[in-house]
Structure formats: structure tokens, C-alpha cells
Amino acid sequence: MTPADPRITLARADLAAASLEGLLAATHYAAPQVHTVAAPVAPLFRVADTASERMDELIFGERFDALEAHGEFVWGQARRDGYVGFVRAADLAPAAPAPTHRVSAVRTYAFAGPSIKSPALGPFSLNALVAVEAEDGKFSRAAGGACFWTAHLAPIGVFERDTAAVAERFLGAPYLWGGRTSVGLDCSGLVQQSLYACGQAFPRDADQQAALGREIERSELARGDLVGWRGHIGLMLDQTRLIHANGHHMAVAIEPVAEAIARIEAAGGGAPTALRRL
């Protein structure tokens, strides 16, 4: 039997989600409590300490299944990509109404009222989830009262069609380990957000992403294909150009895939381990 991946399994030796009883051994099982991310961005940490590794980020409106409180933190699992870790309790709120829309702009502000002169809230990132309760002129009033510019929202079920075009909107965004927004994101965060915007559920880490789709030859590479290395991944813009968030440029950058392959191999990262078409 393949061991459970701890990144996406809400279980420890002493405590596990009730849904895992009979599947994984634990001293105690409990039912998670559903929360909604109330902050524009909520880092997910390895341990209950903001100085620890930021493994992922949750964005506004996403659900978080909280299993255990740890002081100012809660331990649980992000519903959208399944990642397990610690989130600050202050970034969460009780379960909110189901989202009706997602943020379709790469980054936008909401406002305290239906006017751009009212206090700004955010910024909110691409794929943030919003429950719209009413229209007010050119604004959409969300649950909780924030007013979003309606043109920066898309109804749930209305998605982009070109993952590479979505990725290009992040060009120049700074590199941030564990990040998922245009304020800062890592390689797999860029790929995941681009696929989310196109209505495709997608895992969080590069190795998980590189296992999807079907293997292709390098000569077949085309727009939207994935190129993966050990611990890194990017998205092809065409047969020769790659877009990726990377530590070399410390930003989302476009470069010839041949140059990226040579540079990464020269730095000790090895040759690509996956060429995939979704």
C-alpha cells in the first residue's frame, strides 16, 4: 500500500479527520470545523509559528477544514488543493455563504461602499471566491459588505480558456516560496492559479502537477504544456518559450526553454523529469 502523502492527508499519529477512521491509524478522530478565509491572503505554515516555512497560501473565500486549535493558529486542511498545515485563526471566519463568483482580474480592490472613494479593502487576487448578494451600480456587494468592481468578477462556471495567457498576466510578479498571488508566487503556484482560472482543479506542488496529463516528446512541446524538473515546473507559451516563476530571476519570467534547461542542468538541477500535456 502506498503511504499517505502527509502534505494532503489530515492526520497525525495522535489525531486524524473523522473521515479517515478505518483507513489510517490514529489515537483520536474528530470532525473538522469548516471555516472561510476572511483575509485577502492567509499563509499556511509548516508549524504554528509565522517564522516557520510558508508551504502554501489560502486566498480570500477559500474553505479551510480546521481540526485543532494551537494558540493563535489552527491546524487543518485547505479544501481547494488539499494542503495541510497551520493557519492563523485571525485570518479565518465561520463558514460563509457558498461563492457565486471568483475574482477574474489578476489583482483588484474591494471597497467599503459602492464608490472608488470609499475605503479600499484588499488587494484581492485572481481566483479569490466571492459570494455576491446584490448589485449596486457598477459594483457587486459581497457577503460581509465589501463592494467589488463587477467587471473584475466572473460567475462560478465561467472560466478562461488559455492557461498560458493567464500565466502571462503574472509576468514580473516577484518570486515567493509558497505564494499563489501576483504579490508573490512560486513555480507551482503560477501553474496552479493559471489552471484554476481555466476551471481545472489542480494540485499544489510541482511533483504532483508533473504527474498529471500524458508524457510527450520535447519535439512535441506546444502552448500550455508543462515542463517539470525535480522541484520545479513551468508552462510553455509556444514550442520554444517557457514562462515560470523561478529563483534565478526571482520573478515570473519568460525565457527560451533550451536556455532554461541548460541553465538548470548547469546549476545541478538535472534535466527535465517530465514533459506533460494536460
Side-chain angles (χ1 to χ4, degrees):
M1 178 181 294
T2 303
D5 187 337
R7 294 173 296 179
I8 54 174
T9 306
L10 189 53
R12 306 188 307 246
D14 64 320
L15 178 63
S19 60
L20 297 175
E21 188 169 5
L23 301 174
L24 294 176
T27 305
H28 180 67
Y29 300 90
Q33 300 298 310
V34 182
H35 291 69
T36 300
V37 178
V41 176
L44 187 145
F45 297 100
R46 183 173 295 278
V47 299
D49 184 346
T50 56
S52 72
E53 179 188 354
R54 178 198 301 243
M55 300 189 298
D56 194 3
E57 285 181 335
L58 286 74
I59 57 178
F60 182 79
E62 292 183 334
R63 306 289 190 177
F64 185 74
D65 291 332
L67 194 60
E68 184 181 47
H70 277 260
E72 297 179 358
F73 291 81
V74 291
W75 180 65
Q77 185 171 31
R79 280 198 178 183
R80 208 173 194 182
D81 64 19
Y83 228 96
V84 171
F86 292 86
V87 175
R88 289 176 294 204
D91 290 337
L92 303 173
T100 61
H101 292 71
R102 64 178 183 87
V103 171
S104 56
V106 71
R107 183 170 58 250
T108 192
Y109 283 93
F111 299 89
S115 167
I116 59 174
K117 296 181 180 180
S118 60
L121 310 170
F124 297 90
S125 298
L126 180 71
N127 296 320
L129 300 173
V130 179
V132 171
E133 295 185 335
E135 301 291 331
D136 196 337
K138 295 183 178 181
F139 290 87
S140 292
R141 188 178 296 276
C147 292
F148 288 81
W149 187 250
T150 299
H152 285 178
L153 300 177
I156 298 296
V158 176
F159 296 107
E160 308 281 343
R161 295 185 177 182
D162 186 345
T163 55
V166 177
E168 287 182 283
R169 291 160 63 188
F170 287 91
L171 188 63
Y175 181 88
L176 177 65
W177 180 266
R180 287 178 56 211
T181 78
S182 64
V183 175
L185 74 174
D186 60 19
C187 64
S188 54
L190 174 66
V191 172
Q192 186 192 55
Q193 289 297 83
S194 299
L195 270 292
Y196 276 175
C198 293
Q200 299 184 51
F202 219 62
R204 179 62 179 91
D205 285 348
D207 65 315
Q208 299 167 320
Q209 296 174 353
L212 301 180
R214 64 177 178 88
E215 189 72 16
I216 58 172
E217 299 296 326
R218 183 170 169 183
S219 61
E220 299 178 81
L221 284 172
R223 188 173 181 85
D225 291 337
L226 300 178
V227 180
W229 291 259
R230 294 192 304 271
H232 186 61
I233 199 162
L235 190 68
M236 294 300 294
L237 295 182
D238 51 38
Q239 191 175 17
T240 62
R241 294 181 303 147
L242 178 80
I243 185 168
H244 57 152
N246 65 89
H248 176 75
H249 298 95
M250 285 305 292
V252 176
I254 297 172
E255 63 179 319
V257 69
E259 292 183 11
I261 289 172
R263 174 174 55 75
I264 292 171
E265 190 164 8
T273 56
L275 305 175
R276 311 292 290 187
R277 178 161 298 162
L278 300 174

